[in-house]
Amino acid sequence: MQIIRHIPVLLSLFTLCLTDLTPRDSMSDLQRSLNTPEAHRVHRASDSGNVASRVLLANRQKQMRKIDIRNHIEDSFNWKDKSMPRGDQVKDKVSQLPGLIFPISTTVAPSPMSIDYTERVQSFFPECNYKHKTRLILQAPEDPNIDIHFFKIKFPSARAGSQLSINAAKLRIYKIGAARPTPRPNCPPENKIRITVSWLKLRNSGIRPAEQVMLDSVMVDGSIAGWTTLDVTGAVRSWYQHQHMPMALMIEVEDISKRDLNAKQFLQTIKCKIVGATPSAPLLHLTWEEVPQFQVSTWTCNL
């Protein structure tokens, strides 16, 4: 099928060779005469600086190349000593074949919209070293029931003509699983808890209490161990726009009566004294991709 697609091109080239050449017998005689010792002696005896001699040599080489091309085409398609079809006849035959696509004569420039941009995922554990964050801790609420996680996200650099787009950011936290309460008559046991994640809008200076912005909240069964996912995309998008600002999330846990519970008793926190990553520690999953600069939304987080 590939050879059939190139038949029109080969025919055009073959026709060019035929139009510029003398009949086949004459060409064979010419080729043999050019390769005779007498022709080489005449050529060596001629003045190399003579313009006419150089032109004659160039024409001879051109004719020999055309003869080679014609012979190669005839041998490839077994056309030697046969009548050749015209170009319109070949096109008619090829058009009757199924599933062939003829290339267009013009080339369309690729659209930037068609460039393949792969979505990527990165994960970040909370920071462990809080010694240099004394000023930031003073801005956080003085509540022993909450759990605060500081992050240091190193966002990737976009290529020229592209920009980073934060598609999603999810905080995965692990429920330890507490004992179920003692059932009472006509009252099934329930251990529902509400987990809330908020963005602490800390500042690099000052000790004024930081503003708290609730990002997501979910009601789960506190007696069953397992992972819970909370959406923190709004905060991470703002962090990307202001990478010099502190990055902190606050976790709160409440019961069905909206009483505050100790988050560290229900959720696995990071333990900095353990060498390596803490098993089941909180994990921030960041999903991003590079997109053309003119496609990125101008939306900014107004939380």
Side-chain angles (χ1 to χ4, degrees), residues 131-150:
K131 293 182 180 180
H132 63 288
K133 300 185 181 298
T134 304
R135 189 179 297 275
L136 300 180
I137 294 175
L138 291 176
Q139 300 177 34
E142 296 183 5
D143 188 347
N145 292 323
I146 64 175
D147 194 10
I148 298 177
H149 299 302
F150 293 93

Side-chain angles (χ1 to χ4, degrees), residues 31-194:
Q31 187 175 15
R32 286 193 295 270
S33 65
L34 292 175
N35 292 326
T36 60
E38 181 64 25
H40 287 290
R41 283 195 296 270
V42 173
H43 172 66
R44 286 195 299 269
S46 63
D47 184 8
S48 60
N50 192 311
V51 176
S53 176
R54 292 199 299 269
V55 172
L56 177 62
L57 177 62
N59 291 335
R60 288 175 178 174
Q61 293 175 344
K62 180 178 179 181
Q63 290 174 345
M64 293 179 66
R65 287 196 298 270
K66 289 182 178 180
I67 293 172
D68 292 338
I69 293 174
R70 186 194 64 183
N71 292 337
H72 176 73
I73 294 176
E74 288 182 344
D75 293 339
S76 299
F77 293 94
N78 195 22
W79 287 346
K80 188 169 293 186
D81 300 328
K82 296 181 180 179
S83 60
M84 306 305 302
R86 299 192 308 273
D88 54 349
Q89 294 176 342
V90 175
K91 287 184 178 180
D92 292 340
K93 291 291 185 182
V94 174
S95 63
Q96 298 174 7
L97 298 176
L100 290 181
I101 301 177
F102 293 96
I104 59 176
S105 59
T106 58
T107 303
V108 181
S111 171
M113 306 286 290
S114 62
I115 299 177
D116 181 26
Y117 291 91
T118 305
E119 190 176 69
R120 304 180 185 275
V121 178
Q122 286 183 296
S123 300
F124 300 89
F125 286 107
E127 289 189 272
C128 277
N129 187 8
Y130 291 171
K131 293 182 180 180
H132 63 288
K133 300 185 181 298
T134 304
R135 189 179 297 275
L136 300 180
I137 294 175
L138 291 176
Q139 300 177 34
E142 296 183 5
D143 188 347
N145 292 323
I146 64 175
D147 194 10
I148 298 177
H149 299 302
F150 293 93
F151 292 91
K152 189 175 183 180
I153 301 177
K154 186 177 181 180
F155 293 95
S157 300
R159 293 172 293 180
S162 302
Q163 187 169 339
L164 200 69
S165 174
I166 307 297
N167 294 340
K170 305 291 184 179
L171 177 66
R172 297 185 72 236
I173 51 180
Y174 188 80
K175 296 188 285 89
I176 300 174
R180 287 183 176 273
T182 304
R184 293 177 293 177
N186 301 325
C187 183
E190 280 189 330
N191 194 19
K192 293 286 187 180
I193 59 173
R194 176 173 292 279

Side-chain angles (χ1 to χ4, degrees), residues 1-19:
M1 297 296 286
Q2 296 294 333
I3 295 178
I4 294 177
R5 293 180 181 175
H6 295 290
I7 286 178
V9 179
L10 294 174
L11 282 176
S12 300
L13 184 59
F14 183 69
T15 304
L16 176 62
C17 295
L18 291 179
T19 55

Side-chain angles (χ1 to χ4, degrees), residues 207-226:
I207 58 173
R208 189 177 62 184
E211 179 184 355
Q212 304 174 26
V213 179
M214 189 181 74
L215 299 173
D216 198 6
S217 183
V218 62
M219 184 75 76
V220 296
D221 190 343
S223 59
I224 300 177

